[in-house]
């Protein structure tokens, strides 16, 4: 099949590499809005052809939207005249707001997906060969999709080595919040705590694995993550509140020198071991 | 030289491997308080000989204390009769409280050190070959040490491939707090937030790199970390307060839908890029 990818940064660029490497796409078409990125995509040979949106719509069997979540919503009107056989898949990190806003005319075609993978990098140069391999992709609210569209989504994601999980968009947004959106809010806060210090350089000179791991995703794209926080606002606020209860708890145990309780609380955190 | 190591878990066990591998120690002696660990150390052949504390004191040119920070303090009285040529090095994660409490009789011999490295694992089986290679070790308040003792500490840490940084214990404790102790408090809190959910398993099924990285150090030893939080209590409390300002800020920006400010705040966190 021909696969058209809208947006060729980390997610779209890595997908282009994957569908080519696994021989899933006969031809990969790309649509890019940004001149600088266009140059990089050509140099990196991420797609077979860069085309305008109308050509991409006509020539693709599956169109993948790999742009920030707000841009996904903004693009809906452009797809209202899509052929009934053409599948559209979005790869946004939030799902409820997107699912709610898919126009009725293309709801059958439109498969809402979220591949649970990424790095802190962005742009075409961030695209890597094995971003999707062995990772999980969540597909949401498939009951409204035509079978042919669901099948094409399965063929692509299974074909590039992903594990498929199906759940409702609202459930997805709660889970993704705990596993990704809340950790990003925390990592941005930790990085800002250190960068606000009068001499961050001499502090960071002592950085070891702990801080490096905890601050890695604080390097992620502000544009992309502002949109995600916006679209998953309600869940993010309540997950921050739950997290803050624990930060208050640890602060209080340390302040009160309640070390017996502190050790138990750490041991509770250790039980994560049993699952992850 | 003969090196005696007290405590042969992750830190002590990995040090035993390193000083043998680099040919720095003619003989490595070990002292272990815990029967289960003793068995593991013998099976793993981490040391040349397991001895009692008196033998270790007599036969070692350098004694390394690789036990939790409270245990270091508790051991001070055992070393009061140490030979003046014998060097003692502790590897605790906090330095101010330890430096303040070193008995005057052994202050010349006692080199306070903190190798900025580790993993979330503990015990002899956690010992790995290259834990120290290319990492930083902080040595504190060397002005009170005899030259021969400082030289031996340098020979060992340089010899196993470490970068040596010298600073005062109080400065060390502030830096180590931001780079390690605060990140641990945050990671324990994040893990507890998820583990307190009614169905952690189905949430963690979606874990990707972000959550895995952010929760890794939440698997660290509660015993060891309770002691560290206790000894660096003051710095930990103020660093939590600074971090909490940022958590409140991000929460408020999301609640007020102040997305322009949110994007700027994320971009500020991104500047970490330039240093780390």
């Amino acid at each position: 099949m021909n696969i058209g990818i809208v947006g060729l940064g980390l997610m779209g660029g890595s997908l282009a590499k994957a569908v080519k490497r696994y021989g899933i796409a006969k031809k990969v078409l790309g649509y890019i809005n940004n001149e600088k990125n266009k140059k990089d995509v050509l140099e990196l040979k991420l797609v077979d052809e860069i085309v305008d949106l109308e050509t991409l719509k006509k020539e693709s069997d599956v169109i993948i939207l790999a742009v920030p979540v707000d841009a996904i919503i903004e693009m809906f009107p452009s797809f209202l005249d899509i052929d009934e056989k053409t599948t559209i898949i979005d790869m946004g990190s939030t799902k409820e707001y997107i699912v709610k806003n898919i126009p009725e005319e293309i709801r059958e075609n439109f498969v809402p997906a979220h591949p649970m993978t990424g790095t802190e990098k962005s742009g075409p140069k961030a695209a890597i060969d094995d971003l999707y391999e062995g990772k999980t992709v969540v597909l949401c609210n498939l009951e409204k999709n035509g079978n042919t569209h669901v099948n094409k989504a399965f063929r692509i994601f299974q074909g590039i080595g992903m594990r498929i999980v199906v759940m409702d968009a609202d459930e997805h947004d709660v889970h993704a919040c705990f596993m990704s959106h809340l950790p990003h809010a925390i990592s941005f806060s930790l990085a800002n705590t250190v960068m606000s210090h009068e001499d961050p350089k001499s502090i960071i000179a002592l950085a070891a694995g702990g801080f490096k791991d905890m601050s890695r995703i604080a390097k992620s794209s502000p544009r992309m993550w502002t949109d995600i926080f916006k679209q998953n606002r309600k869940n993010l606020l309540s997950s921050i509140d739950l997290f803050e209860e624990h930060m208050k708890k640890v602060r209080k145990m340390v302040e009160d020198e309640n070390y017996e309780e502190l050790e138990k609380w750490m041991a509770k955190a250790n039980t994560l071991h049993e699952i992850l």
Side-chain angles (χ1 to χ4, degrees), chain A:
Chain A
M1 59 182 141
N2 289 345
I3 297 183
I5 304 180
V6 177
L8 284 139
L10 166 69
M11 301 301 285
S14 299
L15 189 76
K17 281 169 164 265
V19 292
K20 276 167 99 172
R21 201 154 59 99
Y22 284 100
I24 294 160
K26 202 173 74 185
K27 194 173 177 182
V28 180
L29 302 161
Y31 171 71
I32 309 159
N33 219 339
N34 168 317
E35 285 307 315
K36 159 83 182 68
N37 284 356
K38 204 175 277 183
K39 209 175 135 267
D40 289 342
V41 169
L42 284 170
E43 270 175 30
L44 296 162
K45 298 195 175 77
L46 289 177
V47 296
D48 296 311
E49 215 177 315
I50 293 185
V51 295
D52 60 38
L53 193 57
E54 285 312 309
T55 311
L56 183 121
K57 280 161 62 182
K58 258 179 242 137
E59 295 195 8
S60 305
D61 300 296
V62 178
I63 296 169
I64 313 261
L65 306 182
V67 290
V69 286
D70 273 15
I72 293 170
I73 307 266
E74 285 159 23
M75 290 195 84
F76 284 156
S78 322
F79 294 107
L80 290 179
D81 59 350
I82 203 79
D83 189 281
E84 62 174 22
K85 288 203 217 74
T86 308
T87 304
I88 305 173
I89 302 173
D90 88 287
M91 305 214 292
S93 290
T94 56
K95 294 269 72 79
E96 201 176 355
Y97 190 71
I98 289 172
V99 166
K100 261 190 199 151
N101 286 284
I102 303 169
E104 216 31 66
E105 297 93 315
I106 56 170
R107 184 62 189 89
E108 266 204 34
N109 309 59
F110 200 108
V111 182
H114 178 202
M116 303 293 299
T117 181
T119 75
E120 71 281 16
K121 302 197 176 78
S122 51
K125 286 180 178 164
I128 50 175
D129 277 347
D130 59 351
L131 185 67
Y132 297 98
E133 224 162 277
K135 305 295 167 51
T136 299
V137 58
V138 183
L139 304 183
C140 294
N141 300 69
L142 300 179
E143 64 284 357
K144 297 233 172 146
N145 288 107
N147 278 339
T148 164
H149 301 298
V150 172
N151 287 345
K152 275 192 270 178
F154 269 72
R155 264 175 63 200
I156 291 175
F157 290 121
Q158 274 177 1
I160 60 173
M162 298 197 84
R163 184 175 75 100
I164 296 174
V165 170
V166 175
M167 62 174 77
D168 278 348
D170 53 349
E171 193 186 354
H172 163 274
D173 280 12
V174 172
H175 290 205
C177 189
F178 281 114
M179 288 299 101
S180 171
H181 310 167
L182 174 64
H184 274 81
I186 294 169
S187 188
F188 283 126
S189 289
L190 176 62
N192 269 324
T193 303
V194 174
M195 293 310 291
S196 303
H197 191 273
E198 57 187 15
D199 184 12
K201 267 191 193 162
S202 74
I203 290 183
I204 290 167
L206 300 191
F211 182 76
K212 281 180 188 163
D213 278 3
M214 298 286 293
S215 65
R216 180 181 61 79
I217 52 177
K219 298 176 184 169
S220 303
S221 155
R223 164 71 205 289
M224 190 179 130
W225 281 92
T226 298
D227 285 2
I228 292 169
F229 282 18
K230 189 170 159 184
Q231 288 200 16
N232 206 12
R233 179 172 170 269
K234 229 182 48 197
N235 289 317
L236 182 60
L237 289 174
S238 37
S239 75
I240 289 178
D241 291 342
L242 291 171
F243 171 73
E244 285 293 276
E245 279 176 28
H246 282 284
M247 284 305 298
K248 279 188 197 118
K249 203 176 206 167
V250 59
R251 197 201 180 287
K252 191 165 161 38
M253 289 183 293
V254 174
E255 184 162 40
D256 296 348
E257 309 207 49
N258 190 349
Y259 298 118
E260 209 172 305
E261 278 305 304
L262 180 63
E263 195 172 334
K264 276 187 210 155
W265 177 83
M266 289 176 175
K268 173 89 198 281
N270 277 184
T271 60
L272 180 68
H273 241 325
E274 296 156 19
I275 310 185
L276 187 66

